[in-house]
Structures are given as C-alpha cells and as structure tokens.
Amino acid sequence: MKTNGRSGPQPTVADVARAAGVSRATAARVLGGYGYAGSEARELVLEAAKRLAYQPNQLARSMATGRSKTIGVVVADIENLYFARAIRAITDTANANGFDVVLANTDEHIEMERSALRVMLAKRVDGLIVSPASSFEVDHLIEARNMGCPFVLLDRRVPALEADTVAIDNFPAARDAVSSFTRQGHRRIALVSNSRLEGGQKYLTSPVRERLEGYKAALHDAGIRIDPKLTVFGGGDNENLARKLRKLCQGDSRPTAFLAVTSAVALVVLSVLREEGLSVPDDVSLICFENADWTVAVTPPLTVIAQPIKELAVAVTERLIARLQGNSSSMPEETLLSATLINRGSVKDLSSSADRDRN
C-alpha cells in the first residue's frame, strides 16, 4: 500500500485487485466506472474496496475516463438568499445524479468570474452552471465552450451568447406588481435596486433590466409619466442605497409605494422608512421580489413576488446533466419560469381614499 504522511496507509487499485483476486485492469474498470467487467468480478471488487475503505483518486479517474463527475457552479453572491437556495437545490440534484459540485463566488465582478472559470477548467469539471456578471463580456464563456466544457446559464439571460438558459420571467412579474400598485391609486412608485449602473441601464444584469422594463411598462399602461428620480440604484453599496432612499423620502413628493428588486433591498428600504418615521402600509406601500422567510414575520407581512427558486435550480442542473449525457437537442434551449404575486398586508389602497389627492 502507498502511504500518506498525515492519513496513514491508503489502499490503491492494486491492493483492491489483490484482495478481490482479479487483475488490476479489471479492478480499475470497476472502480473507475468505465469499460466492461463481469458481474461476479464487479461484486468481488466492490466488496474488497469496501473492506479496505478504498477511496478513488479523482484526478486519475478523470484522466482515464475523460470525466471528473464534477460540476462547477459560478454565482454572483452566495450570501444572497436567492443564490443560497439555488445552490442547495443544485447540489442536491447533482449529488443524486452522481456528480460533485465545486462552487465559486464572483461578487458581480467580471474579472473574478473569469478567474473562477479558469480554476474550474483547470480542475477538469465536466460542465458549468454560471450566473454571469455581465450580459456583454462573455469571451471566457465562449472559450470554455470551445474547450469542450458545456455550460448552462442560471437566472440570467445573455442575448450576445447562444446558450442553454433557465431563468425567471421577470418582465411580467414586475409589471403585475406595479400594476397592483396603480390599480390601488398609487402614482408615485419607486423601483429600488442595489445594482451598479456603470455604462447605463442596458448593462444591468437581465433580471434587474427586465424588472425595470416591467416597472416602466406598468406605469405606461396606467398613463403615469416615468420619473427618473424614482428609479434608485445603490451601486452595490447598502449605505449608498440608504442615503439615496433617505433623500427621496425627505423630499416634498416622496413615493407612496416601493418595488424592491430583492428581499435584501427590501430590508434596506424598511430600515430607512423606520428611521424616517414612516410606516408600512399607512405611509408607504412595499412589494419585494423573493419570498424570504422574514417577510411573513414582520408587521404587516410583506406582499412579495415569489420565485420558484428550487424548481429553477433543479431545471438548470438537469439541463446540464442532459447535455453531459448527450440527451439534449443540439440547439440551445431557454426555459422561463413564472413568478407569483402573493398579496399580504403591505399595500394600502388609495383609490377610494382622500390620500389619493396628494399623489
């Protein structure tokens, strides 16, 4: 047996072969999951491996089979509730199909994303699930594809890249939410995001851009002029976002309603409203994307746009595995899942109230 200075003797394929009474080549095929081995030989090898507590050398197996049975997952923010839930479902689905998961976090920085992909490719992952930081800078994804590493886009659509994509249908979800405000008499409605705006709105990630477009469409439907001052972007800095919200709330024509594009943004909104002595929904109405657990624990419970995060993550993982197994069409496929507006107690009806006059 070979030895490891820290772990003690480690059984090798040769050790398993001797214990099973078969050739090393047969043991390697059984343990590596490739090639042919008779059922009796397979049973002997697996029994010997179990008895010896054999652990496969993943690098050696990947070199022999061309597969590492590993999926790389690259997301924007693992602390974000949306991605945290997605990662759990991705991992469960991958493991159930015999794949391990390697995870990388990019903090929405394209250079960190490029670096993460280089590491993933060096580790010989079989495929990638990526939530891209940019809708335009995709050279590293094209390079991965050219190297024979398939990928599926999670949550974010990239028009410049023909790729398998599983995402939420954000435009109608935002449009419905803002329309629910306008139907109840709200006319000064703000959209709040903590995204960066470098280069202009067209460079926003697709979920934020589509929510912004849905917001504008609902205002247009209601005959409400779009006020640029009511679209608030924090640039990835919660303190900066809070400062902008305070200024907005202290103005003479503060919004009567807010649409927060994430539950994390909604928490910043609630914090500022509390500082300013404004209550939900008496003074300000609020709807947020993501049905976070805390949204039903506050008073009043928040109206939310619930997204099928688990279904999304399962679908993106199954799509990649289908690609890896050759069970998917040659053309890229896009799947959009619907979000659901859950009405609770955070929206005030101004349509029959004297409060409507001041809007």
Side-chain angles (χ1 to χ4, degrees):
M1 292 187 187
K2 293 183 179 180
T3 61
N4 180 310
R6 291 178 299 175
S7 304
Q10 298 294 314
T12 65
V13 173
D15 296 327
V16 174
R18 281 193 294 272
V22 300
S23 70
R24 188 185 185 285
T26 297
R29 287 195 296 272
V30 173
L31 296 172
Y34 65 92
Y36 173 77
S39 57
E40 182 178 353
R42 183 177 301 277
E43 185 176 340
L44 288 170
V45 170
L46 294 177
E47 171 63 28
K50 182 178 180 180
R51 189 167 65 251
L52 296 176
Y54 168 81
Q55 294 294 322
N57 183 319
Q58 296 292 346
L59 178 59
R61 184 172 73 175
S62 69
M63 292 177 66
T65 65
R67 290 291 177 88
S68 64
K69 298 295 286 183
T70 303
I71 291 172
V73 179
V74 182
V75 298
D77 183 2
I78 59 176
E79 291 186 338
N80 181 293
L81 172 67
Y82 183 95
F83 288 117
R85 289 181 172 175
I87 291 166
R88 173 58 189 269
I90 288 170
T91 302
D92 289 347
T93 306
N95 292 164
N97 285 274
F99 288 85
D100 292 323
V101 169
V102 179
L103 177 65
N105 184 73
T106 69
D107 283 333
E108 299 284 12
H109 290 294
I110 190 66
E111 289 306 321
M112 290 181 66
E113 183 174 301
R114 288 194 176 101
S115 176
L117 256 67
R118 285 194 294 269
V119 171
M120 298 288 186
L121 293 172
K123 290 182 177 295
R124 302 171 65 94
V125 297
D126 293 335
L128 293 158
I129 294 172
V130 184
S131 186
S134 171
S135 296
F136 296 90
E137 298 183 62
V138 295
D139 53 292
H140 52 299
L141 292 170
I142 294 172
E143 181 182 359
R145 175 188 285 164
N146 291 341
M147 292 176 64
C149 185
F151 59 84
V152 181
L153 302 184
L154 166 68
D155 178 62
R156 297 176 178 183
R157 305 160 77 185
V158 180
L161 186 68
E162 291 188 2
D164 287 307
T165 305
V166 184
I168 301 296
D169 200 0
N170 287 288
F171 177 87
R175 189 175 193 171
D176 289 348
V178 177
S179 293
S180 74
F181 282 140
T182 63
R183 286 193 300 269
Q184 298 186 72
H186 293 271
R187 298 189 65 81
R188 288 194 58 77
I189 303 163
L191 178 137
V192 188
S193 168
N194 206 11
S195 297
R196 299 178 179 91
L197 261 182
E198 292 92 340
Q201 293 179 359
K202 71 176 183 177
Y203 289 99
L204 293 168
T205 59
S206 64
V208 179
R209 187 174 63 251
E210 291 160 8
R211 291 168 193 181
L212 176 60
E213 291 169 353
Y215 160 83
K216 291 180 177 179
L219 295 181
H220 181 268
D221 293 342
I224 300 172
R225 181 181 64 86
I226 297 170
D227 184 349
K229 295 178 182 177
L230 296 182
T231 53
V232 184
F233 292 90
D237 182 341
N238 280 344
E239 283 303 316
N240 182 49
L241 180 62
R243 283 193 296 271
K244 290 186 174 184
L245 288 170
R246 288 188 199 101
K247 183 177 180 180
L248 189 61
C249 289
Q250 291 167 0
D252 294 334
S253 54
R254 64 170 168 78
T256 64
F258 288 89
L259 174 64
V261 300
T262 67
S263 60
V265 167
L267 283 172
V268 178
V269 173
L270 286 172
S271 177
V272 170
L273 293 177
R274 184 173 61 247
E275 291 174 14
E276 297 300 319
L278 300 171
S279 65
V280 176
D282 292 337
D283 300 309
V284 178
S285 295
L286 174 62
I287 296 176
C288 75
F289 274 81
E290 296 171 5
N291 189 21
D293 293 340
W294 66 263
T295 61
V296 294
V298 295
T299 304
L302 293 191
T303 294
V304 299
I305 302 164
Q307 302 167 97
I309 301 173
K310 181 177 180 180
E311 292 83 350
L312 178 90
V314 169
V316 78
T317 311
E318 290 179 343
R319 177 72 57 80
L320 178 60
I321 292 172
R323 285 286 181 201
L324 295 174
Q325 296 175 342
N327 297 328
S328 188
S329 67
S330 59
M331 296 299 294
E333 300 175 16
E334 179 178 85
T335 300
L336 297 180
L337 304 183
S338 298
T340 304
L341 184 66
I342 301 177
N343 289 296
R344 292 174 181 153
S346 62
V347 178
K348 184 176 182 179
D349 187 355
L350 302 183
S351 60
S352 59
S353 168
D355 291 340
R356 183 177 182 178
D357 294 337
R358 67 183 179 85
N359 293 333

